[in-house]
Amino acid sequence: MSKLFSPLEIQGVTLKNRIVMSPMCMYSSLNKDGMVTPFHMTHYISRAAGQVGLVMVEATAVQPEGRISPQDLGIWGDQHIEGFKLLNEQIKSYGAKSSIQLAHAGRKAVLDSNIYAPSPIAFNESFKKPNEMSISDIKESIEAFKHAARRAKDADFDIIEIHAAHGYLINQFLSPLTNKRQDQYGGSIENRYRFLSEILTAVQSEWDNPIFVRISTDEYNNEGNSLEDILYFTSEMKKQGVALIDCSSGGVVPAKINPYPGYQIKRCETIKSNTEILTGAVGLITTGIQAEEILQNERADLIFIGRALLRNPYWAKQVADELNETIDPPTQYIRGWR
Ligand code: FNR
């Protein structure tokens, strides 16, 4: 049997295969209310019917001011629980597990309201200049992640992913490029990690299931976090009980990136072997052979698929055929599956 289609147990949650629907913002909440819509139901449930092992709901704002856009999904209030609960019931009915990416955009929010960040530096000239966060703003954001975790539990998610990548709020604290603070949340690497560390502790006070963290393993800037810095963060996360590091890159400051098939896997592999922690590989992975190579050579434990799953909700079936694997369809489709 291929490794791609073999199950993996992660801290008590068993995924039926190693394919994860990568989190992808759909900017499809209506009325600026962050609620799940019929579009989200169709979008996520069809990938569960398509037999991915883990569906990950897109970056979902823990505070309204943490949205990238007014159309982002939200989990800042109890009114959001019911929609996610209905979504999860359906996702699970197809044998997939369900996860949600908890996010805060910080200085990358494109909203009419004031925005904030660790330091008052705009991403570029088309973004607003953020206000510098006070200690009470920081504490409020940490609390917001904690309340979001409780709501995620009430909505029956199996796994939480914390979005600490792509230059959003947590990444803005981690990176010396965006964090110029002089207090306990800035300066040394220990101080830059403090915000994420406190978020993890707060989330864990409400949440016993696995936690994944998505990070930018490369900032594509010589003044940014080095590989050594990244390995410090991942070893701290391991000590705090994080189950898996989802290894993405970029987005911290404007930079030139040269994406090629598997372009983020090198650092993913280094983190896996150095920190001895589970990792997720993502980025221009499009074939079964490619995914299988990554897993068999122990470069990652899960394969996150983004755009290939937008193009084909049945990507799992396509690569099962490619790898000569037989996977079960939703029962209704049995007569048309092979
Ligand atoms: C993304 N990506 C992304 N990443 C993330 O961590 N949270 C998010 O909400 C989003 N939103 C998003 C929307 C859309 C439309 C795309 C295409 C991408 C990044 C995504 O999860 C993935 O890391 C990249 O797309 C690279 O993987 P693929 O697409 O090459 O498989």
Side-chain angles (χ1 to χ4, degrees):
M1 197 194 203
S2 66
K3 208 163 174 186
L4 187 61
F5 288 98
S6 62
L8 180 66
E9 198 225 287
I10 303 175
Q11 296 180 353
V13 173
T14 301
L15 309 183
K16 66 181 172 186
N17 63 42
R18 311 296 181 98
I19 303 170
V20 183
M21 178 183 185
S22 201
M24 284 177 285
C25 282
M26 291 288 114
Y27 308 114
S28 292
S29 287
L30 308 170
N31 308 317
K32 307 182 181 182
D33 60 7
M35 302 290 269
V36 171
T37 66
F39 170 79
H40 296 111
M41 300 292 279
T42 307
H43 173 66
Y44 290 112
I45 297 165
S46 57
R47 274 67 189 183
Q51 301 302 304
V52 306
L54 179 66
V55 172
M56 190 170 288
V57 170
E58 67 204 70
T60 301
V62 298
Q63 289 179 291
E65 58 272 38
R67 287 171 294 173
I68 303 167
S69 83
Q71 288 75 34
D72 286 22
L73 275 176
I75 190 161
W76 62 79
D78 286 355
Q79 70 274 19
H80 295 114
I81 296 170
E82 188 59 24
F84 287 126
K85 203 172 171 148
L86 291 171
L87 177 63
N88 285 335
E89 196 182 308
Q90 289 303 309
I91 288 173
K92 291 178 193 201
S93 74
Y94 295 98
K97 293 289 194 285
S98 175
S99 54
I100 183 166
Q101 191 186 47
L102 300 183
H104 192 304
R107 71 173 186 165
K108 285 180 122 181
V110 183
L111 301 170
D112 294 336
S113 55
N114 279 335
I115 61 168
Y116 56 61
S119 301
I121 313 163
F123 179 73
N124 64 21
E125 52 289 346
S126 51
F127 281 79
K128 272 191 194 168
K129 184 175 164 184
N131 293 324
E132 178 173 307
M133 288 170 86
S134 64
I135 294 292
S136 78
D137 291 333
I138 291 175
K139 300 288 177 202
E140 263 176 44
S141 284
I142 294 167
E143 278 292 292
F145 275 94
K146 173 178 151 178
H147 295 309
R150 194 256 306 156
R151 294 182 190 113
K153 185 173 170 183
D154 289 347
D156 297 331
F157 282 104
D158 299 296
I159 291 171
I160 281 178
E161 175 163 289
I162 304 289
H163 197 349
H166 303 168
Y168 294 114
L169 184 63
I170 298 173
N171 202 172
Q172 290 159 32
F173 274 91
L174 293 175
S175 176
L177 296 169
T178 44
N179 183 346
K180 307 289 181 192
R181 297 180 74 90
Q182 310 278 324
D183 62 6
Q184 69 270 36
Y185 289 97
S188 66
I189 191 158
E190 293 82 8
N191 282 355
R192 298 199 311 277
Y193 180 69
R194 191 177 314 280
F195 184 61
L196 174 54
S197 168
E198 291 182 1
I199 286 173
L200 289 170
T201 304
V203 165
Q204 284 164 333
S205 71
E206 296 284 352
W207 179 264
D208 300 319
N209 272 22
I211 299 175
F212 294 0
V213 180
R214 175 168 275 199
I215 57 168
S216 282
T217 61
D218 196 334
E219 299 181 356
Y220 305 106
N221 184 302
N222 290 336
E223 310 297 314
N225 279 313
S226 64
L227 180 57
E228 202 184 8
D229 296 335
I230 299 293
L231 292 171
Y232 169 82
F233 297 140
T234 55
S235 72
E236 289 302 304
M237 284 187 256
K238 182 184 176 182
K239 284 187 213 153
Q240 289 194 261
V242 165
L244 178 141
I245 309 292
D246 172 5
C247 300
S248 190
S249 71
V252 182
V253 289
K256 212 171 149 37
I257 303 175
N258 172 32
Y260 52 84
Y263 68 107
Q264 295 172 144
I265 292 167
K266 206 166 159 184
R267 290 204 167 186
C268 175
E269 181 174 3
T270 305
I271 290 166
K272 181 170 167 55
S273 60
N274 251 269
T275 306
E276 295 181 0
I277 190 165
L278 298 181
T279 59
V282 65
L284 286 178
I285 302 166
T286 51
T287 69
I289 299 281
Q290 196 187 355
E292 188 63 13
E293 182 278 322
I294 294 164
L295 295 171
Q296 290 286 0
N297 283 318
E298 300 188 353
R299 309 172 78 194
D301 301 279
L302 292 179
I303 304 293
F304 285 61
I305 301 295
R307 289 160 292 180
L309 267 170
L310 292 186
R311 293 190 287 273
N312 179 7
Y314 291 93
W315 187 84
K317 164 69 172 150
Q318 176 191 311
V319 300
D321 290 346
E322 184 193 336
L323 296 173
N324 280 324
E325 287 281 356
T326 307
I327 57 169
D328 291 333
T331 48
Q332 295 90 336
Y333 293 0
I334 276 175
R335 277 173 292 175
W337 193 254
R338 294 203 179 91

